[in-house]
């Protein structure tokens, strides 16, 4: 089946959004919000409604990060997490996690209704399913956690088997969840606040100096409060986030299929992971969205295009896929204990990161918590999400040690890797590591056969990046920084581009 040559997100493929100029002068406001995804936009919108003078800056275009490349499930069912939360944090805080995300769903619904946003906000039940009995004990433990916490859900294997065209051994449902079109929703918020919020695109934050955010274009914004909602905190050395966050990439395709998914949102506990939902296109037809194929950023064991092919084969085998209209990928950050870092990192600095692939609700939780901290000084969920928390179980320590050992291995092995690609052998649209004047060099040959050459050493901590053939990017296997084929930063923690050669 033909897979689109270019990576295009369904959520980004509609009318041209409003654009904003880069920051061109110094500025003073009450609150500086760094990051134009769901957390940054919602936080800026909420604070502006409270009368705060807000500046919102985005390194690229609004919603160009993970928010625009999600599967857009609005749910408190974040895989099989509640049994783990009870074990790590206790029943009371596990319940707080559920309530925070349920409140986020209600807040999104209320905002959609308030602004009359046409963003396909649709109530749906959410399911975690298994296709073999190997995972049944984990599912049963999660069911027990649902019962302890009073979660609106339970076993629903019969319903999942009725709705899904493949074998399902058992499923766990969480009722009264939703899905929507995140970009249409956020564009409505941007339109609503554009006359009261200073919004700047193509403005990358470089450093925080007291109450000032310095940008790479030489300007600065001064504010009483600074909200770092840039996905990976650009000030990561302040909180050592590079050592506490695990970056993962995952993939999605949008498919026209013979078999329509009528109801529900589904995610597998089995491997390889599969996420299934539908969206209604503007012509009224259903688009089947299938996601999965996750792996550590920069460490795919096969060419990245193969992940899309696996998803397409799954769609064809089970749903009778007729055409793949879209393909896109996203990068997500996972904390040591799977609970995001949200809240006050320093006296006047707030951080929001580590949503573990559930950014639509966790990102909304972040906006709600941080707005309360700025306006009221407290929030009932602040302790649970505290980015400075030290509550970790032995398994978290093991994860920390294992992950950082992998980083050290990548740092060393990347320097030792040899290359056999000849620059003359690259076809238009291809990239790889070549030797130029005795130095390993990243090369990409564009459609006009012009070669773009970069130093492949990541500007964050010096690891060697590798070529991503599907996204045409240079990806760092250590901490997940990503760069375009000509070296510009796509994903942090890196701030500076790759050196051009």
């Amino acid at each position: 089946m033909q897979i689109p040559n270019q990576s295009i997100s369904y959520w980004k493929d509609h009318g041209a959004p409003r654009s904003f100029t880069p920051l061109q002068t110094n500025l003073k406001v009450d609150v500086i919000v760094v990051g134009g995804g769901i957390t940054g936009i919602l936080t800026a919108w909420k604070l502006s409604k409270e009368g705060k003078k807000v500046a919102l800056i985005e390194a690229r275009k609004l919603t160009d990060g993970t928010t625009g490349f999600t599967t857009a499930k609005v749910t408190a069912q974040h895989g099989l997490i509640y049994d783990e939360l009870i074990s790590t944090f206790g029943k009371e805080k596990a319940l707080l996690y559920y309530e925070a995300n349920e409140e986020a769903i209600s807040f999104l619904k209320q905002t959609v209704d308030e602004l009359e946003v046409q963003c396909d906000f649709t109530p749906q039940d959410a399911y975690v399913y298994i296709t073999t009995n190997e995972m049944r004990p984990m599912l049963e433990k999660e069911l027990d956690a649902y019962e302890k916490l009073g979660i609106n859900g339970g076993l629903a294997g019969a319903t999942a088997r009725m709705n899904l065209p493949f074998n399902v051994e058992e499923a766990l449902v969480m009722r009264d969840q939703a899905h929507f079109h995140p970009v249409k929703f956020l564009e409505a918020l941007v339109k609503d606040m554009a006359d009261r919020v200073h919004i700047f695109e193509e403005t990358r934050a470089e450093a925080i100096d007291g109450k000032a955010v310095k940008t790479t274009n030489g300007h600065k914004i001064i504010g009483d409060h600074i909200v770092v909602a840039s996905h990976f905190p650009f000030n990561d050395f302040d909180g050592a986030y590079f050592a506490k966050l695990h970056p993962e990439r995952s993939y999605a395709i949008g498919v026209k299929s013979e078999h329509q998914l009528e109801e529900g949102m589904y995610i597998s506990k089995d491997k390889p992971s599969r996420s299934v939902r539908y969206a209604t296109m503007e012509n009224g037809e259903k688009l089947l969205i299938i996601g999965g194929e996750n792996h550590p950023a920069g460490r795919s064991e096969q060419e990245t295009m193969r992940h899309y092919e696996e998803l397409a084969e799954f769609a064809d085998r089970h749903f009778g896929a007729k055409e793949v209209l879209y393909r896109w990928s996203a990068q997500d950050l996972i904390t040591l204990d799977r609970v995001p870092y949200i809240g006050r990192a320093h006296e006047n600095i707030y951080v929001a990161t580590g949503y573990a692939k559930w950014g639509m609700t966790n990102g909304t939780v972040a906006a709600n918590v941080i707005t309360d901290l700025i306006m009221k000084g407290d929030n009932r969920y602040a302790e649970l999400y505290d980015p400075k928390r030290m509550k970790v179980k032995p398994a978290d320590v093991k994860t920390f040690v294992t992950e950082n050992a992998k980083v050290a291995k990548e740092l060393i092995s990347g320097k030792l890797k040899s290359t056999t690609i000849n620059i003359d052998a690259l076809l238009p649209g291809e990239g790889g590591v070549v030797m130029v004047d005795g130095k390993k060099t990243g090369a990409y040959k564009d459609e006009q056969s012009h070669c773009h050459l970069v130093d492949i050493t990541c500007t964050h901590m010096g690891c060697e990046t590798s070529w991503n053939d599907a996204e045409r990017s240079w990806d760092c296997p250590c901490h997940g920084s990503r760069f375009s084929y000509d070296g510009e930063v796509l994903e942090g923690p890196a701030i500076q581009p790759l050196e051009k050669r």
Side-chain angles (χ1 to χ4, degrees), residues 79-319:
L80 303 183
I81 193 175
Y82 289 98
D83 175 66
E84 183 176 340
L85 291 179
I86 291 173
S87 175
T88 304
F89 294 94
K91 179 181 173 181
E92 182 179 342
K93 286 190 175 179
L95 181 58
L96 281 176
Y97 184 91
Y98 172 67
E99 291 175 346
N101 281 275
E102 284 290 301
E103 283 185 21
I105 298 170
S106 297
F107 172 79
L108 291 174
K109 175 66 165 62
Q110 178 184 339
T111 305
V112 167
D113 292 342
E114 175 187 327
L115 298 182
E116 298 181 343
V117 184
Q118 301 301 309
C119 63
D120 305 320
F121 192 97
T122 308
Q124 294 287 328
D125 291 341
Y127 299 79
V128 178
Y129 69 88
I130 56 174
T131 59
T132 69
N133 280 314
E134 183 180 350
M135 296 293 180
R136 187 177 290 271
M138 294 184 67
L139 203 69
E140 290 173 348
K141 285 184 178 180
E142 189 74 355
L143 173 64
D144 184 54
Y146 275 32
E147 292 170 349
K148 288 178 180 176
L149 300 176
I151 290 175
N152 181 14
L155 293 179
T159 303
R161 283 189 288 272
M162 182 173 63
N163 291 337
L164 294 174
F166 49 80
N167 174 66
V168 173
E169 288 293 335
E170 191 54 91
L172 187 64
V173 65
M174 185 177 289
R175 300 185 182 91
D176 300 332
Q177 309 298 287
H179 58 50
F180 73 152
H181 192 303
V183 174
K184 287 183 179 180
F185 171 73
L186 293 172
E187 285 176 353
L189 265 62
V190 170
K191 180 180 179 181
D192 183 70
M193 70 180 180
D195 61 346
R196 63 180 187 270
V197 174
H198 300 278
I199 303 176
F200 303 99
E201 295 180 320
E202 306 294 344
T203 302
R204 184 175 295 278
E206 183 177 42
I208 295 176
D209 183 7
K211 291 188 174 183
V213 171
K214 295 182 177 180
T215 65
T216 54
N217 60 9
H219 300 299
K220 66 180 180 180
I221 307 176
I222 298 173
D224 294 327
H225 304 278
I226 299 169
V227 179
V228 180
S230 54
H231 191 50
F232 204 117
F234 72 93
N235 59 327
D236 75 296
F237 285 100
D238 290 343
Y241 294 107
F242 65 88
K244 299 189 294 184
L245 291 168
H246 169 67
E248 279 202 359
R249 292 200 66 74
S250 55
Y251 302 81
I253 57 174
V255 179
K256 289 177 66 175
S257 60
E258 294 176 2
H259 181 91
Q260 299 293 331
L261 181 68
E262 299 301 330
E263 293 293 337
M265 309 178 294
Y266 302 86
I267 189 166
S268 68
K269 182 58 184 173
D270 313 279
K271 300 296 182 183
S273 62
R274 292 290 180 262
S275 167
V276 183
R277 62 155 289 193
Y278 74 85
T280 303
M281 296 186 286
E282 292 184 2
N283 62 6
E285 292 185 39
K286 281 188 174 180
L287 181 75
L288 184 67
I289 297 176
I290 297 178
E293 292 289 308
N294 53 292
H295 63 80
R299 295 186 226 161
S300 176
E301 295 182 355
Q302 56 191 343
E303 289 192 352
T304 45
M305 273 302 296
R306 183 58 193 155
H307 296 296
Y308 290 113
E309 292 166 1
E310 294 278 2
L311 294 178
E313 290 167 8
F314 176 86
D316 188 38
R317 183 164 63 251
H318 297 298
F319 291 91

Side-chain angles (χ1 to χ4, degrees), residues 34 73 76-78 89 102 135 145-146 190 192 220 347 361 373 375 409 437:
V34 181
K73 296 177 179 179
Q77 188 189 63
H78 300 167
F89 294 94
E102 284 290 301
M135 296 293 180
Y146 275 32
V190 170
D192 183 70
K220 66 180 180 180
E347 184 178 354
T361 46
L373 290 176
M375 297 304 303
K409 179 181 177 181
D437 294 333

Side-chain angles (χ1 to χ4, degrees), residues 415 455-465 476 481 483 494 498:
K415 303 293 183 184
D455 184 339
I456 61 171
T457 304
C458 179
T459 57
H460 176 234
M461 292 184 70
C463 294
E464 300 289 281
T465 60
C476 179
S481 295
F483 305 84
L498 298 178

Side-chain angles (χ1 to χ4, degrees), residues 25-71:
T25 186
N26 295 339
L27 186 66
K28 186 174 183 179
V29 295
D30 297 324
V31 184
I32 309 160
V33 179
V34 181
I38 188 168
T39 302
I41 292 173
L42 268 177
T43 303
W45 182 76
K46 285 172 65 71
L47 287 170
S48 69
K49 289 184 60 137
E50 296 283 352
K52 291 293 186 183
K53 186 178 180 182
V54 180
L56 171 65
I57 65 173
E58 163 57 38
R60 292 186 285 164
K61 298 292 184 183
L62 298 181
T63 71
D64 265 4
T66 302
T67 295
F69 296 82
T70 174
T71 53

